[in-house]
Amino acid sequence: MTDDLLNSQAETVRGFNRFYTRQIGVLDEGLLASPFTLTQARVLFELGIRKAVTAREIGDVLGLDAGYLSRIVQNFASQGLIRRESSPDDGRQIVLSLTPEGRKVFRDLDKKSHAVAASHLSGLSTPRRARALTLMQDLQRTLSHEAGDGTLTIRTHRAGDIGWAIERHARIYTDEFGWNDDFEALVATLFARFATKHDPDAERCWIAEVDGERVGCVFVVRNEEDPTIAQLRCLLVDPKGRGLGVGKRLVDECLAFAKTAGYTSMLLWTNDVLTSARRIYEGAGFALVKEERHHSFGHDLVGQIWKRDL
């Protein structure tokens, strides 16, 4: 990554930080019209969700300097919000807990924080709200030190996967190629036919996951004209899974299954604008056998049939 690109990306992060701190009111003198700063409120929150905790444990969770945290704790104690007692497990340790007054202050602040978050969400339409929450969760997973290790797994489909596959096909092809609702209708028809009529011994659907999140799909069925030929359909790699070899792994799974199921060859239909998919097919040994122009999904396209022997 070039320095210029990294600098530009860093400025994007800083811009978002400035926007979001205004949104949630952390720049106000007191957070949520309270006498507490953001850091004090976070310490109070950690005390509120635990029965008893040491200052060191709070410091580790929040990454706070010990001296700074000590001053916050002392301030809370002087206001009668916390009590300090020797740990029953280790008399050298001092554990902190909220007093009844401290718990009341915590509940009031927690209720206000919840109301502000709900207020921000209430101004969004249901689809935009769902998208915002998904993006927040994705960002948290991406930046968290507890994020997964990027493990890619391929499994057969289960409840909920078919609906996900249809939705992601529609969204991605609309966003990236401008295809219209006819494409979603076609994909829905193909997946519905598979879901209701497939032969588990000879036809199968796979889902790719990275750290438990769906990032791709594909399925294999018998060719309608020749039952000795396997037909590969609806290969999709979500943008979240690109660059990880997801498409290759899915196609390899299809080929291995088709050989075991006794098919003599595999066939697939695609369009020439889908260059990433075509590279995967070529890399897997498929050869282009036919091209035909057609007008579909709101565009003039060149359909292609690819095939390879098994």
Side-chain angles (χ1 to χ4, degrees), residues 3 126 212 217:
D3 289 342
T126 299
C217 64

Side-chain angles (χ1 to χ4, degrees), residues 117-137:
S119 175
H120 287 312
L121 292 174
S122 67
L124 302 176
S125 64
T126 299
R128 292 184 67 193
R129 186 186 308 171
R131 177 163 173 75
L133 293 174
T134 298
L135 290 172
M136 288 178 184
Q137 291 164 347

Side-chain angles (χ1 to χ4, degrees), residues 133-146:
L133 293 174
T134 298
L135 290 172
M136 288 178 184
Q137 291 164 347
D138 287 346
L139 180 60
Q140 183 174 343
R141 280 193 296 267
T142 300
L143 297 181
S144 172
H145 292 301
E146 299 176 358

Side-chain angles (χ1 to χ4, degrees), residues 1 7 14 27 45 57 62 79 85 92 136 145 171 214 222 227 237 244 247 262 290 295:
M1 180 181 296
N7 289 335
R14 295 181 65 199
L27 300 179
F45 179 80
E57 288 170 332
L62 300 182
Q79 296 180 60
E85 300 173 316
R92 296 168 299 178
M136 288 178 184
H145 292 301
R171 173 62 63 188
R214 290 176 291 212
R222 286 192 186 93
V237 178
L244 302 176
K290 184 179 180 180
H295 184 85

Side-chain angles (χ1 to χ4, degrees), residues 11 51 117 142 178 211 238 289:
E11 287 306 310
K51 290 184 178 180
T142 300
D211 297 331
D238 191 277
V289 296

